[in-house]
Amino acid sequence: MPVKPLIPDTDGEYAAVNQTLTEAMGDFMIKGNAVEHSSAIGYHTAVQLGFTGTVLSAEATFTRLSTVGGPRLGVILRYIDSQNYYFFGRQTGGTSQLKIVRVLNGVETALASVGFGNPGSIPFKITGRANGSTLTLDLDGVRRLTATDSTFSS
């Protein structure tokens, strides 16, 4: 299901960006000017197909609305299919941490991680960057993780 992602503009209002996201896994909808996932446990993933290259970045602002299931919130780069991509994000719940993860043939491998307190209901921004084999994760504009991996180099 293609949807237009919404981002806050300078006035705090939300506007659709030009790119269209495609639902890759799970279930989500646009509700109240935000992308919201269903309450079902599992991954709810939207991707921009054709977003490829050696140097890429993606960012999104999240608000954790529930602790049910320890939500994993973040962005994906170098997406090939639902079994092969890099994930840059935040795992909430009892094992709250920031992570850069490689998913290869459906198997997750943490390339870098650090324990980090739960965000409560305060919005936070995750930025993932892939520059060649260098992968970085920023939280609210501050570099928190760096990893090197060339599995999906472009």
Side-chain angles (χ1 to χ4, degrees):
M1 168 179 83
V3 299
K4 291 284 188 181
L6 302 175
I7 58 170
D9 62 19
T10 55
D11 297 326
E13 296 297 316
Y14 286 82
V17 294
N18 292 329
Q19 297 83 13
T20 298
L21 297 178
T22 299
E23 185 176 289
M25 294 178 276
D27 188 27
F28 64 87
M29 65 207 93
I30 295 177
K31 186 175 179 183
N33 288 330
V35 177
E36 183 176 294
H37 69 80
S38 74
S39 60
I41 294 174
Y43 298 122
H44 306 278
T45 306
V47 297
Q48 181 184 339
L49 299 176
F51 187 55
T52 60
T54 304
V55 179
L56 299 172
S57 67
E59 67 180 31
T61 299
F62 299 91
T63 303
R64 185 185 79 159
L65 301 176
S66 170
T67 59
V68 176
R72 189 171 92 152
L73 309 165
V75 297
I76 290 175
L77 291 175
R78 298 197 175 139
Y79 178 87
I80 296 168
D81 57 37
S82 64
Q83 302 291 304
N84 297 282
Y85 56 88
Y86 290 119
F87 171 79
F88 304 75
R90 188 173 201 163
Q91 174 74 47
T92 63
T95 58
S96 182
Q97 55 186 297
L98 299 174
K99 290 179 154 183
I100 298 175
V101 175
R102 177 187 62 224
V103 178
L104 177 62
N105 297 321
V107 177
E108 294 187 14
T109 302
L111 301 174
S113 65
V114 64
F116 214 83
N118 279 309
S121 60
I122 298 169
F124 59 92
K125 180 169 57 175
I126 295 285
T127 304
R129 289 186 180 85
N131 186 346
S133 62
T134 302
L135 311 171
T136 60
L137 181 149
D138 294 357
L139 175 67
D140 294 325
V142 177
R143 177 76 30 93
R144 299 292 183 176
L145 294 173
T146 300
T148 303
D149 187 77
S150 59
T151 303
F152 311 118
S153 57
S154 62

